[in-house]
Amino acid sequence: MERQKHIRNFCIIAHIDHGKSTLADRLIEATGTVSSRELTDQMLDSMDIERERGITIKLTPIRMTYVYEGEEYELNLIDTPGHVDFTYEVSRSLAACEGAVLIVDATQGVEAQTLANVYLAVDNDLEIIPVINKIDLPSARPDEAKREIEDVIGLPADDAPLVSAKEGLNIDKVLDKIITEVPPPSGDEDAPLKALIFDSYYDNYKGAVCLVRVIDGQVKAGMKIRMMHSAKEFDVTEVGVFDPKPAERRELSAGNVGYICASIKNVSDTAPGDTITDAARPAALPCPGYKKVQPVVYCGIFSTDGSKYNDLKDALEKLKLNDAALFFEPEVSVALGFGFRCGFLGLLHMEIIQERLEREFNLDIITTAPGVNYMVYKTDGEMVTVTNPSNLPNPSETERIEEPYVKAMIFTPPEYIGSIMELCQEKRGTYVDMVYMDKTRVRLEYEIPLNEIVYDFFDSLKSRTRGYASLDYELKGYKAEDLVKLDILLNNEVCDALSIIVHRDKAYARGRSIAEKLKEVIPRQLFEIPIQASIGNKVIARETVKAMRKDVLAKCYGGDISRKKKLLEKQKEGKKRMRQVGSVEVPSEAFMSVLKLDDK
Amino acid sequence: MTREINDRVRGTIDSVYIGGGTPSVLPRGALTRIFDALRQNAVLDDDCEMTVEANPDSCTGEFIKEAADCGVNRISLGVQTLNDEILTAIGRRHDSSTALKAVREAHNGGIKNVSCDLMLGLPGQTLYDVSYAADTLCDLGIKHISVYSLNVEEGTRMYKSGYRVDDDVAADMYEAAYAKMKERGFVRYEVSNFALDGYRSRHNGKYWKREPYIGIGAAAHSFCGDTRSYNTFDIDGYISGDRGARSEKLSAADRLEEYIMLGLRTVDGVEFGTLDLLSGSDWRSGKREVLVSLSDKGLIDIGERGFALSEKAYYVMNEIIVRLI
């Protein structure tokens, strides 16, 4: 127990842009963990995308040492992913800590997302240390920020350190607070091993590496360990800590944060939330709170160049190595050929995967409209889960369809309440609650079908509130709704990749805007192309792409021939980006263009 | 140019075409020197087609006289339209009466084979403008007409003005021109070229049939079986004696592609025998599906020896050609 008194495990909670990574960098610097020469901006975010977007996807715990009143302390900073898609991961990293530093931007106050994570931290019995950041900015209003912390969160904030992570101001005060206020771990070093996995990553040499917080007992190389939920067993090859590079240690004991390697081939065997125990002397109970992570948002991913199917498959497999939450299975589309139906934790997760496929693997991909998973109860009593609109059973065999809905929390300045309520109504939302946080901010709570959130809720919310409102949501459950499959027909043939599941009341408007959009993006061809939106056999919208009438280079004499040949070759090359849907050539962009439609 | 003629021109010639620029503005005597040089180095066939391009405003009696004296037997006139407002708007120096006068000058000077260029899709142009011009010129007895849709190239003043040719309008005009020319007994022997019987341009035919030709002058292109070459685009450099010729050797695939792309422009189309020869395979069976689908849609007419575009397919030929190359 004496040893554990000198350990502090904590995380940082902050809204995007409120300075989490910068503060982490300053802490690392102030404790001398990394020399300033080695310090690249934002140590924690190791992926390019993370750094660019200012978000964290993969967690990296960092071990620091700090001397306070003559005694040396081990501080473990456990990072948390900065986005609502990863709420479960956040909860697991919080469970690995005893305290949380809450950063509040002195110019913006408490935000919705921060609040959600604060509640999570409170649920996990964490000691919360408020810190007011960005006090160097002229628009900083630290007193108001303090009052907000007290009013909105209910935490005393009188002596919250006022810092500027950017300028390195008062960083030592934060460190002192961590020592004095975060309780030390209190595990039983002699009890059977119990270590909580809060993240994992794939290493080409070591296999899946578990990032763990040891709760009780000890772990060292040579031990046989068991994953308490999956019941799989592995032999530990190495344990260590991050300071900040992986550094091998003889053992990890109760209270320590570090990594365990055990020649594990799949990251799916190292699920966040699972508990590692000693196979020879297992703990009686696992750590609480384990959940199997389920995808929430689905879409089809195809390679633009149909022949690159195998490259796409390899890329998804590589990403999956490091991302147990990514789900994919082969899918065949009449229009797009061979591809994959992929499942994600949320929209951001989806965007990140799409971006990584394009950037890191140089793939040109087509994605179909994101959707959710529906529970379809058939008349014969069977229930099927549908993630691909093409697989929706026939209406005559369907008793009811249930769709997922979420609890959405929207924070906004009061002047936008009207337009947000209007938006939520349009999106089939049900009003739950409205709370005035203070004079300048309101919290609106709605229940909204996830399908509507996935469609374009974020963008609409942003544009209607000039970016002032923020949204946080969590899955609530399933509800039966009047849902239909909306098909798009090109030249009288259904284009499966464009089918969507939509509420009947929305079908007309959506069908019309998809048809209009397609008319814009499908080029004129040798014959007239009717574009129809239909529900079952009933056509609800129609547009026509007129037949092409002029496609010729008029003059073609001696000097024009080479140029003309190049033009034709370019035109032919352009055809490769076209997908043949029946007799119609559809540009790849067309499939993406219907993902973002202007609301009418 | 006479220097290049001395260097490159030999043998027997059955077509001379002076154009690409405005030969009618040459100082008197220049045309004569060119033809003298040609005759010194080569034999001009008895029925050699000798065409000179001219702008209506410089196609004077004097110019026609010199041309006729050189043996020129065909004039190609850049009339464009007979609507004076449009001519002014697009910055042409002639008006409609100058254009008609130029045709008469040629006829009076003994050059009976006159071809006129007409443009389609000009700002403010109507279908009536097109058929009126065609009618009026036919009434004057011209033998050949070329019609081109205006191409608004990036960087030009018209491009900057924001004017763009509407494809539907251009197609309507083309159809109007085609109907009118047909009515007047002209045959569309190439997508942009119409002629009375016996007046097809031999010279243009050479481009489309991939027969050899020598291009003399700055930026002029030459072709000989499997090589395309062209002179420097730098006129001063050319005059100072640096021809700066570049050439491109055509691969078998290039030759096949050119044959299809050029052959299908013409009423003669392409022949299976030549396609087999150029592709070194049974071309027809390799493209069977495409041919059947195009034929089913009425876009090509397949005969025993080859195929050609159907009447309605001419103006959308790129879309068809890309399926065949």
Side-chain angles (χ1 to χ4, degrees), chain A residues 524 554 557 569 572 575, chain B residues 148 168 257 265 315 319 325:
Chain A
R524 294 170 70 169
Y557 302 120
E569 274 158 14
K572 194 178 173 186
K575 289 242 179 266
Chain B
Y148 306 114
D168 287 315
E257 191 178 322
R265 294 184 73 83
Y315 227 44
E319 192 59 28
I325 56 175

Side-chain angles (χ1 to χ4, degrees), chain A residues 524-527 546-573 575 578 580 583 585, chain B residues 148-149 167-168 170-172 175 191-193 204 207-208 213 221 228 248 250 254 257-258 261-262 265 299 314-323 325:
Chain A
R524 294 170 70 169
Q525 296 173 29
L526 291 168
F527 48 92
K546 286 191 290 176
M548 171 195 288
R549 296 196 49 212
K550 172 173 177 280
D551 177 28
V552 62
L553 186 73
K555 282 192 191 190
C556 190
Y557 302 120
D560 307 314
I561 293 171
S562 297
R563 186 166 60 100
K564 160 109 173 137
K565 195 163 60 184
K566 287 199 182 89
L567 272 172
L568 283 172
E569 274 158 14
K570 212 169 136 195
Q571 197 167 341
K572 194 178 173 186
E573 199 55 39
K575 289 242 179 266
M578 300 281 220
Q580 197 78 33
S583 50
E585 285 172 342
Chain B
Y148 306 114
S149 163
D167 283 353
D168 287 315
D172 286 342
E175 277 164 21
V191 59
S192 300
N193 287 278
N204 290 349
Y207 297 132
W208 306 320
Y213 48 85
H221 287 64
R228 292 199 176 282
E248 172 205 7
L250 299 179
D254 285 334
E257 191 178 322
E258 284 188 2
M261 135 189 146
L262 296 168
R265 294 184 73 83
L299 295 167
Y314 272 83
Y315 227 44
V316 289
M317 64 164 62
N318 282 3
E319 192 59 28
I320 295 168
I321 293 171
V322 293
R323 290 173 158 73
I325 56 175

Side-chain angles (χ1 to χ4, degrees), chain B residues 122-255:
Chain B
L122 294 168
Q125 195 176 24
T126 63
L127 289 181
Y128 174 74
D129 287 336
V130 175
S131 43
Y132 168 77
D135 259 338
T136 311
L137 294 167
C138 289
D139 286 344
L140 279 180
I142 63 162
K143 306 290 192 283
H144 185 282
I145 277 197
S146 303
V147 292
Y148 306 114
S149 163
L150 172 68
N151 188 15
V152 185
E153 305 233 10
E154 225 170 303
T156 57
R157 214 170 54 196
M158 198 177 279
Y159 186 89
K160 282 173 198 142
S161 80
Y163 178 76
R164 300 288 181 275
V165 180
D166 181 295
D167 283 353
D168 287 315
V169 171
D172 286 342
M173 289 183 178
Y174 178 76
E175 277 164 21
Y178 174 57
K180 179 57 72 184
M181 299 315 294
K182 206 169 165 183
E183 181 190 313
R184 305 294 299 229
F186 283 65
V187 169
R188 173 172 62 185
Y189 68 101
E190 193 255 5
V191 59
S192 300
N193 287 278
F194 301 80
L196 288 176
D197 193 24
Y199 287 95
R200 293 186 189 187
S201 163
R202 180 186 292 165
H203 194 83
N204 290 349
K206 289 184 183 295
Y207 297 132
W208 306 320
K209 286 182 214 145
R210 305 183 70 251
E211 289 172 6
Y213 48 85
I214 299 174
I216 306 290
H221 287 64
S222 302
F223 175 66
C224 141
D226 59 358
T227 310
R228 292 199 176 282
S229 56
Y230 56 91
N231 291 340
T232 175
F233 285 66
D234 169 15
I235 294 183
D236 294 332
Y238 179 82
I239 292 172
S240 73
D242 177 14
R243 194 152 76 79
R246 308 249 169 94
S247 66
E248 172 205 7
K249 189 107 176 154
L250 299 179
S251 66
D254 285 334
R255 292 202 290 273

